[in-house]
Amino acid sequence: MKDIKKYIDLHKDRFLNELIELLKIPSISADSAYKKDVLKTADEIKSSLEKAGCENVEICQTKGYPIVYGDKIIDKNLPTVLVYGHYDVQPPDPINLWDSPPFEPVIKKTELHPEGAIFARGACDDKGQMYMHVKAMELMTQTNQLPCNVKFMIEGEEEVGSASLADFVKENHEKLSNDVILISDTGMIAKDTPSITTGLRGLSYVEVEVTGPNRDLHSGLYGGAVANPINVLTKMIASLHDENNHITIPGFYDNVEELSTEERAEMAKAPFSLENYKKALDIDAVYGEAGYSTNERNSIRPTLDVNGIWGGYTGEGAKTVIASQAFAKISMRLVPNQDWKEITQLFKKHFESIAPKGVTVKVTPHHGGQGYVTPIDSIGYKAASKAYTDTFGKTPIPQRSGGSIPIVSLFEKELKSKTILMGFGLDSDAIHSPNEHFGVWNYLKGIETIPYFYHYFTELTK
Ligand code: BES
Ligand code: MN
Ligand code: MN
């Protein structure tokens, strides 16, 4: 591998400016008001793939937002890397908590990022990380060192469940055939501690509705005599965890894969400071399932969390009222072997069963997906490990993440290939939160590391 650092040095300002232009388009997939912007982003990705040296670049229409595809097949006998990423972003709200507007990217220095970080919605998740692959492709074609075939598949519905992509993958086995899938949509432990994500959690997302009396009531005239849907809902939710913070839904843990003592000991070796963790979040104690460490609680253990709850009067001042209805959105993060559809059914059955007389309960499942674990002895993992070792000067640590990319397990099922998760983000990048950012150093390091992956993957496959 030659001239990689030189090429990046020469073009880094343009690499940053191009990303900044992409970040200006509010491609919020969850909000139909931004439809034009989402479609415009797809067009921009198309032309950036063409400029980077891809052929057969096309916008593939779906029932939802399009998938941008592009490839470069240099020799059918060489291996093929399929790059996946997403061009849609999360809604930016609460907007008043941003220090600068979410779609007006700015580069600012921070304690962790003395080289500067790009602040914008999607900077890290996933426009910035996806674009590293586009620029790595440009670098490899421009310096004549693309060692194998490449296919790009960039979608616009990841943040809302990837429904169209699932159909697209099922219908296009041949087009998408590959030897390894490469994704940068996760994080790493720290700038000086590279890591490769070896696991993702699954997800089951549900909405619940508790209905009591047929109308909102005067809380003096009726209070104490009828079930208050908000009181009932909060009591029901509270009962979903016991005093050890275990989830109480019968059967919930039945298929949970338990790690061996050795595996847990191996995990515990990853550098982690509980003090820094608490300090970064301004909390005086961590909280969670008894018998597990913080890093275990947020990666190898399943969880149940309320993501939103509403009902009754929330306006200014006071209104004495018993609401007719109360609502909550609940997500469960799942671990390998838990089937998300089965867990959704277990939740529904249990939640309906614990409703007291005097209210009715409705459970509406949203999206979900399976978890994923990948071995560390595959060619893909070894190639990624060698790549990081070259560019970071350290062997990366395998790490299971708590986040979810549900489509990854579908890739394995449909395309029969393993996914390598080379994430360059940091937990402190505030993805999905106000002031999301991505370190300039991380961005350029990603662009530098990716070509090494291609090089080693091709070499090890031969
Ligand atoms: N890129 C994230 C997932 C992620 C982030 C995994 C960091 C590991 C580390 C992805 O865009 C995402 O937000 N996924 C959603 C699930 C999806 C179905 C909405 C999630 O994890 O909540
Ligand atoms: Mn993402
Ligand atoms: Mn996301």
Side-chain angles (χ1 to χ4, degrees):
M1 300 255 81
K2 58 178 174 36
D3 296 341
I4 293 184
K5 275 218 162 113
K6 204 167 119 195
Y7 191 90
I8 294 173
D9 236 30
L10 219 59
H11 298 278
K12 61 173 188 263
D13 290 338
R14 179 173 54 84
F15 287 178
L16 280 167
N17 289 332
E18 287 175 6
L19 174 57
I20 284 172
E21 288 309 309
L22 196 62
L23 289 167
K24 285 181 185 169
I25 320 172
S27 51
I28 307 165
S29 52
D31 188 342
S32 56
Y34 293 89
K35 187 171 176 187
K36 269 199 183 133
D37 298 292
V38 183
L39 296 174
K40 185 170 170 224
T41 309
D43 289 335
E44 290 299 320
I45 304 290
K46 177 175 183 263
S47 61
S48 71
L49 283 176
E50 283 162 347
K51 281 185 206 141
C54 281
E55 290 160 5
N56 307 309
V57 185
E58 50 180 322
I59 301 241
C60 306
Q61 299 301 337
T62 70
K63 278 185 207 143
Y65 286 123
I67 293 155
V68 190
Y69 176 88
D71 63 26
K72 182 149 176 96
I73 309 298
I74 55 171
D75 180 348
K76 288 231 151 59
N77 298 314
L78 284 169
T80 301
V81 176
L82 174 68
V83 177
Y84 162 82
H86 62 95
Y87 64 82
D88 64 321
V89 302
Q90 284 276 324
D93 59 275
I95 207 130
N96 58 317
L97 295 183
W98 284 76
D99 295 330
S100 56
F103 298 106
E104 292 172 30
V106 283
I107 297 182
K108 279 185 290 191
K109 291 190 164 99
T110 72
E111 209 179 301
L112 261 182
H113 298 290
E115 308 84 2
I118 314 169
F119 282 76
R121 172 56 87 230
C124 176
D125 183 12
D126 179 41
K127 281 178 177 162
Q129 296 214 70
M130 174 269 295
Y131 208 66
M132 296 181 317
H133 289 269
V134 181
K135 292 299 101 180
M137 175 72 184
E138 176 197 309
L139 185 156
M140 289 185 287
T141 47
Q142 288 296 320
T143 59
N144 287 317
Q145 47 188 343
L146 179 68
C148 61
N149 306 314
V150 196
K151 294 176 178 175
F152 276 84
M153 175 171 67
I154 314 297
E155 72 152 318
E157 296 184 327
E158 197 277 343
E159 300 292 7
V160 290
S162 303
S164 304
L165 183 68
D167 291 338
F168 184 76
V169 170
K170 285 178 196 157
E171 288 157 15
N172 289 285
H173 284 189
E174 189 60 35
K175 186 188 185 88
L176 302 173
S177 67
N178 66 80
D179 298 283
V180 72
I181 298 169
L182 184 59
I183 305 180
S184 295
D185 193 22
T186 56
M188 58 181 187
I189 295 177
K191 281 168 81 176
D192 61 357
T193 315
S195 57
I196 299 172
T197 304
T198 51
L200 294 162
R201 285 196 284 193
L203 181 72
S204 164
Y205 202 107
V206 298
E207 188 163 329
V208 299
E209 185 184 304
V210 174
T211 307
N214 60 4
R215 59 187 164 91
D216 289 5
L217 302 173
H218 188 289
S219 69
L221 296 182
Y222 289 92
V226 295
N228 175 333
I230 301 176
N231 291 10
V232 168
L233 174 63
T234 51
K235 207 165 160 181
M236 286 169 74
I237 287 171
S239 78
L240 297 175
H241 290 94
D242 69 13
E243 65 283 4
N244 290 314
N245 278 315
H246 292 306
I247 294 155
T248 56
I249 300 169
F252 186 84
Y253 290 100
D254 279 2
N255 297 321
V256 168
E257 170 207 69
E258 298 284 345
L259 267 66
S260 65
T261 319
E262 293 77 41
E263 283 172 299
R264 289 178 69 183
E266 199 53 44
M267 259 189 85
K269 283 188 197 157
F272 175 72
S273 155
L274 192 59
E275 278 321 301
N276 291 347
Y277 186 85
K278 290 191 286 189
K279 216 172 116 197
L281 301 175
D282 275 327
I283 49 174
D284 58 5
V286 290
Y287 186 91
E289 188 182 6
Y292 294 94
S293 71
T294 295
N295 274 337
E296 291 173 337
R297 287 170 179 168
N298 68 23
S299 66
I300 60 163
R301 297 298 296 167
T303 60
L304 183 153
D305 276 295
V306 178
N307 296 134
I309 184 162
W310 70 102
Y313 183 69
T314 56
E316 197 183 330
K319 179 185 178 193
T320 47
V321 68
I322 290 174
S324 163
Q325 288 192 299
F327 307 84
K329 290 184 193 276
I330 296 174
S331 70
M332 289 163 277
R333 294 283 166 171
L334 310 174
V335 296
N337 299 343
Q338 281 184 298
D339 180 77
W340 79 272
K341 288 189 173 146
E342 207 173 296
I343 293 292
T344 306
Q345 284 315 309
L346 287 180
F347 176 92
K348 187 171 154 63
K349 198 173 145 216
H350 177 67
F351 207 71
E352 286 166 354
S353 81
I354 59 173
K357 283 210 175 79
V359 298
T360 54
V361 164
K362 193 171 143 198
V363 176
T364 311
H366 279 259
H367 56 281
Q370 301 297 96
Y372 186 70
V373 265
T374 185
I376 60 170
D377 57 4
S378 68
I379 293 177
Y381 188 91
K382 285 181 193 156
S385 182
K386 277 168 148 324
Y388 282 91
T389 307
D390 281 1
T391 57
F392 284 77
K394 277 181 188 176
T395 310
I397 298 171
Q399 191 200 33
R400 276 173 63 169
S401 169
S404 307
I405 311 178
I407 204 73
V408 171
S409 70
L410 186 116
F411 286 160
E412 178 154 301
K413 187 168 157 245
E414 295 292 327
L415 303 174
K416 312 272 180 258
S417 50
K418 294 259 170 280
T419 290
I420 301 301
L421 298 156
M422 288 175 64
F424 293 90
L426 300 174
D427 281 353
S428 53
D429 288 344
I431 62 170
H432 293 205
S433 302
N435 302 316
E436 174 177 354
H437 56 280
F438 189 35
V440 171
W441 184 90
N442 299 62
Y443 177 58
L444 299 176
K445 206 67 181 169
I447 299 172
E448 183 189 341
T449 309
I450 291 162
Y452 284 92
F453 172 81
Y454 281 76
H455 168 76
Y456 286 122
F457 186 75
T458 309
E459 200 165 72
L460 292 171
T461 305
K462 273 179 194 157

